[in-house]
Amino acid sequence: MKQSIYGLTFDQLTDWILEHGEKKFRAKQVWDWLYQKRVTEFSQMKNVNQSLIDLLDEHFTLGTLAEEIKQESQDGTIKFLFKLEDGNVIETVLMRFNYGLSVCVTTQVGCNIGCSFCASGILSKSRDLTSGEIVEQIMQVQHHLDRQGKDERVSHIVVMGIGEPFDNYDHLMDFLRVVNDQKGLSIGARHITVSTSGIAPKMYDFADEGIQVNLALSIHAPNNDLRSKIMKINKAYPLEKLMPAIDYYLEKTNRRITFEYILLKDVNDHKEEAEQLANLLKDKRHLSYVNLIPYNPVADHPYDRSEKEAILTFYQTLMDRGIKCGVRTEHGTDIDAACGQLRSKQIEKEKARKKKKLQNS
């Protein structure tokens, strides 16, 4: 199986080209065709010599993702279901904001973190995505925009799709270097956010990278007992391990961190939890922002969306305690909006189809 050329950083591409006897300047030409002109075939690289085109064609591919389903919401949100070369499927979402177009990418096939409220964890992780498969999600969305002919481009990225990004750390970092490269897509580091459920050791590593990519932490509960009930990862990295990692990140980068908090009716949405969260963050509130997330109910999950009054009380309690916060604007509520929902539905449909076929044979 050929490797996705989108998985190479500019430096890696340059090294590969030199190792194969081609001139160094060819790397810039190829990179330009990939990310500025955005060709879909190596043969379209008009000023690249034929010998290099043949080499690229022999070793790499420009297409490891095939569009299976595209759901479009009335608010402009588009959810893509892509099939990978091994038959697995992943989700990618395009969202429209007043500040630009943001894409939410997936980093793993399935997820092992096991958050009890999340559709992504219905099917456990089967493998990591390569950096090329993650980059290609951005390219697929950008190609879709190019075909619309409106001169629109992806301006923001959130790494918040299926999977835990820090559980696929090396591929994540190569992905970030590719999309941030000024010679290519040039998506600003401050326009990119990586979300983690709290793999503490990798938070130290991420702080040491020296990049300006934003970090979001899925905290979802202000104490260990409650967090362990809804997030299995808290048993491995409880708040006693997680908060020092956050402190290190803040001290090292001096960059604001976003705390994601999904509101589950009568579970973690009481004023008491809001007070506990304010206490947890009080010594770092100058570099903290809490993103309150209304829950998208998932079939066979025992949770409901918090009442509007509970959401408002939670929000106001944090604000009164000096913790900056907001309630996330919802996108795609008329399609399979929750992360992992479309994928799990499609897999169940495919299982049912195969079962019926077996019964009829």
Side-chain angles (χ1 to χ4, degrees):
M1 194 179 291
K2 292 180 187 177
Q3 178 186 352
S4 171
I5 195 164
Y6 295 124
L8 297 182
T9 65
F10 182 75
D11 289 344
Q12 290 166 348
L13 177 64
T14 302
D15 290 344
W16 187 90
I17 283 175
L18 290 172
E19 286 166 10
H20 286 77
E22 297 287 344
K23 301 290 187 184
K24 187 175 182 179
F25 75 90
R26 294 294 186 191
K28 176 68 172 67
Q29 289 181 326
V30 171
W31 197 259
D32 186 66
W33 283 106
L34 290 174
Y35 298 110
Q36 293 287 332
K37 300 183 178 71
R38 297 191 284 277
V39 296
T40 54
E41 301 285 343
F42 291 119
S43 59
Q44 295 171 329
M45 298 180 175
K46 299 301 182 186
N47 62 346
V48 177
N49 53 315
Q50 190 61 46
S51 61
L52 179 52
I53 287 176
D54 292 342
L55 271 173
L56 293 172
D57 205 32
E58 180 185 348
H59 290 89
F60 299 107
T61 178
L62 281 163
T64 61
L65 275 60
E67 186 183 304
E68 283 279 290
I69 294 175
K70 183 170 65 181
Q71 291 184 339
E72 298 194 44
S73 169
Q74 291 180 354
D75 64 16
T77 300
I78 302 177
K79 177 168 272 195
F80 298 87
L81 189 75
F82 294 120
K83 180 174 276 190
L84 307 174
E85 287 187 313
D86 61 6
N88 280 303
V89 289
I90 60 169
E91 292 178 5
T92 308
V93 184
L94 169 66
M95 296 166 288
R96 293 181 177 274
F97 294 91
N98 56 8
Y99 55 74
L101 301 181
S102 182
V103 174
C104 179
V105 296
T106 284
T107 54
Q108 295 178 312
V109 179
C111 185
N112 281 345
I113 298 302
C115 300
S116 61
F117 51 81
C118 183
S120 296
I122 292 173
L123 300 156
S124 59
K125 181 185 117 176
S126 58
R127 72 172 177 88
D128 292 329
L129 293 188
T130 65
S131 52
E133 289 169 325
I134 308 173
V135 174
E136 195 178 334
Q137 293 172 64
I138 300 297
M139 296 309 298
Q140 285 273 1
V141 174
Q142 186 58 61
H143 286 147
H144 164 79
L145 293 171
D146 291 344
R147 289 192 295 271
Q148 306 309 303
K150 297 178 181 176
D151 198 28
E152 293 182 312
R153 64 181 288 269
V154 175
S155 59
H156 293 69
I157 296 173
V158 288
V159 188
M160 295 183 182
I162 298 167
E164 163 54 59
F166 282 176
D167 190 35
N168 188 14
Y169 190 82
D170 292 340
H171 287 294
L172 168 72
M173 294 311 302
D174 277 348
F175 159 75
L176 294 175
R177 293 181 187 108
V178 170
V179 297
N180 179 231
D181 193 291
Q182 290 188 343
K183 299 178 292 298
L185 291 175
S186 191
I187 297 173
R190 294 183 181 190
H191 289 179
I192 304 171
T193 300
V194 175
S195 178
T196 179
S197 57
I199 299 182
K202 293 300 181 186
M203 293 174 69
Y204 289 96
D205 294 341
F206 195 67
D208 290 337
E209 292 285 350
I211 57 175
Q212 293 189 319
V213 171
N214 302 308
L215 180 65
L217 172 73
S218 295
I219 193 158
H220 303 317
N223 61 68
N224 280 327
D225 287 345
L226 186 52
R227 196 165 191 264
S228 293
K229 284 177 185 174
I230 62 178
M231 298 180 74
K232 283 195 306 186
I233 194 170
N234 196 69
K235 294 172 184 175
Y237 303 110
L239 294 174
E240 290 80 12
K241 290 184 178 179
L242 192 54
M243 300 315 285
I246 291 167
D247 289 338
Y248 180 84
Y249 175 85
L250 294 175
E251 184 180 344
K252 186 85 177 184
T253 68
N254 199 37
R255 293 187 58 72
R256 188 180 78 170
I257 189 167
T258 296
F259 293 89
E260 307 279 1
Y261 196 102
I262 197 160
L263 290 158
L264 306 171
K265 184 179 180 181
D266 296 330
V267 176
N268 67 347
D269 64 345
H270 309 98
K271 185 178 175 68
E272 178 187 0
E273 280 92 39
E275 293 283 3
Q276 290 176 10
L277 184 60
N279 288 335
L280 190 66
L281 303 180
K282 65 182 178 182
D283 65 337
K284 53 184 72 61
R285 62 177 180 264
H286 62 296
L287 285 173
S288 297
Y289 178 82
V290 177
N291 193 13
L292 299 173
I293 306 168
Y295 180 60
N296 278 316
V298 176
D300 300 322
H301 282 53
Y303 299 113
D304 291 311
R305 175 183 290 241
S306 295
E307 301 290 348
K308 285 184 178 179
E309 187 179 340
I311 295 173
L312 184 60
T313 299
F314 204 101
Y315 165 84
Q316 197 59 55
T317 302
L318 291 177
M319 291 294 284
D320 289 346
R321 292 288 303 275
I323 307 295
K324 293 187 179 71
C325 63
V327 179
R328 177 183 286 179
T329 304
E330 296 184 89
H331 287 79
T333 52
D334 55 332
I335 57 178
D336 292 310
C339 181
Q341 236 176 16
L342 175 59
R343 174 177 177 264
S344 57
K345 277 187 181 180
Q346 193 62 19
I347 290 173
E348 288 305 315
K349 280 183 186 176
E350 188 63 18
K351 281 181 184 175
R353 187 189 67 79
K354 286 179 180 178
K355 186 178 179 181
K356 189 176 181 181
K357 188 178 179 182
L358 210 61
Q359 289 170 343
N360 294 337
S361 62

